[in-house]
Amino acid sequence: MKRVIIFGAGKFGKNRYKCLKDKYDVEVVAYADNDSEKWGGRCNDICIIAPEEIQQFEYDEILIAVIDFEVSEEIRAELRKLNILDEKIVDLATSVKYMDIYMEPRFGWIQDFGKWVSEQKIKGSVAECGVYRGDSAKFINKFFPDRKLYLFDTFEGFSEDDVKFEKCLGNSEFNDSKFALEPVFRNTSVGYVLKKMPFPENICIKKGYFPESACEINDRFCFVNLDMDLYAPMLNGLQFFWERLETNGCILLHDYFHPNLPGVKKAVEAFEQKCTDKIFKTVIGDRVSIALFKG
Ligand SMILES: C[S@@+](CC[C@H](N)C(=O)[O-])C[C@H]1O[C@@H](n2cnc3c(N)ncnc32)[C@H](O)[C@@H]1O
């Protein structure tokens, strides 16, 4: 069993404990934190120590558990000064190794695709439509370190018109779900998302209603993640990016198999009916997404 110290006894570090213990079979020997008021206290019934005390423990890895990537890098620098080897330090927020188990197939796949794009020398930028709090964008940013990443979102949730349109499609799976009945995806902001990015210099934020927010884009793409949940924006996303997609590039659509979001599959069907190109479609093993390739 691996022994780890979680650096960060805040909400994130506290919440990741159960998953680490149950799914990854690690033993958390201590929490470390820079907040002196927490020292001597407990988190998940485990002692909270000062960073200087770390070396008194036997451990295999230190897992930095903070949301903000820049803060994580500051902690990494602090740990280096304490003579802790880099290979023992893991940023939990962007680590595939310790991610929630249900997320691993999708992000493992995107990681592999990022490597493949680079090996095959496929040109182009990358994009995500439907960013919300940046929890998939930060991985795309990490796995395509040399590519410009466009991030499209209202950063204020669904557009009322898109929801009205979706309701008119008459699918009770959607109409009776939280997506139709409650305002969703509003608790975010551009600043909050940017803080999570490992390579913020690669990011181009496109805040506003998609596809209007894309009207000035004059670029080509090797990978696009479409995650806007509803028929109209997903169909618009396919139409906009397909003609800008490089050969062997991929558009990944999240929620194709989501029981409450049938508009996504309908958008793909509508797109396929009109598109004259050969589209290669495949599942990626995460039970929810579909990948479309341009041959
Ligand atoms: C499911 S969330 C995205 C989740 C994110 N990809 C993740 O994995 O954490 C869907 C997002 O799509 C955005 N969205 C939906 N329709 C949109 C539109 N027409 N224009 C811009 N953003 C839209 C919403 O604001 C919301 O943040």
Side-chain angles (χ1 to χ4, degrees):
M1 189 187 282
K2 208 175 250 186
R3 286 155 306 175
V4 303
I5 292 176
I6 299 181
F7 199 118
K11 202 171 155 193
F12 181 48
K14 187 170 187 222
N15 292 346
R16 290 307 304 276
Y17 173 76
K18 196 170 171 347
C19 166
L20 288 166
K21 212 165 138 309
D22 294 353
K23 311 279 187 206
Y24 291 101
D25 199 28
V26 301
E27 184 194 354
V28 180
V29 295
Y31 274 87
D33 205 288
N34 277 331
D35 180 354
S36 58
E37 292 197 355
K38 290 184 179 167
W39 298 344
R42 299 185 86 74
C43 183
N44 288 318
D45 213 21
I46 290 162
C47 61
I48 306 174
I49 58 168
E52 290 71 23
E53 293 175 88
I54 286 175
Q55 298 291 35
Q56 296 169 19
F57 286 76
E58 277 194 27
Y59 63 89
D60 300 297
E61 281 176 344
I62 298 179
L63 311 182
I64 302 176
V66 295
I67 300 282
D68 186 325
F69 192 79
E70 214 174 299
V71 176
S72 170
E73 287 294 278
E74 283 164 16
I75 293 171
R76 187 183 287 273
E78 185 185 340
L79 292 172
R80 280 190 196 122
K81 279 193 195 146
L82 293 170
N83 294 324
I84 292 164
L85 297 175
D86 229 20
E87 57 262 33
K88 288 199 164 195
I89 307 171
V90 176
D91 174 54
L92 205 50
T94 59
S95 150
V96 176
K97 193 169 156 192
Y98 290 119
M99 74 178 18
D100 280 332
I101 224 99
Y102 75 96
M103 289 160 71
E104 204 278 335
R106 179 158 63 117
F107 292 107
W109 189 92
I110 297 174
Q111 181 172 32
D112 290 347
F113 191 72
K115 277 188 208 148
W116 192 75
V117 156
S118 157
E119 279 168 23
Q120 298 293 312
K121 301 191 173 36
I122 303 172
K123 291 186 182 148
S125 296
V126 291
E128 178 173 72
C129 294
V131 176
Y132 185 37
R133 289 159 75 86
D135 287 328
S136 45
K138 68 185 175 191
F139 288 106
I140 299 172
N141 186 221
K142 179 175 177 178
F143 301 149
F144 294 85
D146 58 345
R147 307 295 169 117
K148 186 170 181 176
L149 168 58
Y150 293 89
L151 295 180
F152 296 91
D153 205 296
T154 60
F155 296 96
E156 292 167 2
F158 291 152
S159 104
E160 280 181 23
D161 287 348
D162 285 349
V163 175
K164 252 188 225 159
F165 187 88
E166 197 79 10
K167 283 182 181 166
C168 291
L169 296 176
N171 295 302
S172 58
E173 300 93 332
F174 175 78
N175 290 354
D176 299 338
S177 76
K178 66 166 186 178
F179 299 104
L181 301 172
E182 301 163 14
V184 284
F185 305 126
R186 289 192 177 169
N187 54 339
T188 185
S189 70
V190 170
Y192 179 81
V193 166
L194 278 176
K195 280 185 176 174
K196 292 186 178 179
M197 297 301 137
F199 304 107
E201 65 280 10
N202 290 354
I203 304 289
C204 179
I205 296 279
K206 291 287 172 185
K207 178 174 159 64
Y209 179 73
F210 182 88
E212 285 161 17
S213 54
C215 66
E216 282 169 9
I217 305 265
N218 181 20
D219 207 345
R220 306 277 305 163
F221 294 86
C222 60
F223 176 74
V224 180
N225 190 42
L226 292 185
D227 191 6
M228 292 183 285
D229 298 358
L230 307 177
Y231 177 86
M234 290 297 263
L235 180 56
N236 283 327
L238 282 168
Q239 285 165 345
F240 180 84
F241 285 106
W242 186 260
E243 60 187 49
R244 292 167 176 80
L245 195 65
E246 291 289 333
T247 302
N248 292 328
C250 172
I251 300 181
L252 186 65
L253 288 99
H254 196 235
D255 298 318
Y256 183 85
F257 295 104
H258 195 301
N260 298 114
L261 300 170
V264 175
K265 193 181 265 181
K266 287 204 162 59
V268 175
E269 287 163 1
F271 177 70
E272 281 183 296
Q273 271 177 15
K274 289 223 169 126
C275 182
T276 52
D277 297 336
K278 175 89 184 130
I279 303 170
F280 299 92
K281 243 184 356 179
T282 184
V283 290
I284 65 160
D286 70 342
R287 313 276 170 89
V288 73
S289 305
I290 198 129
L292 271 59
F293 294 88
K294 198 169 189 172

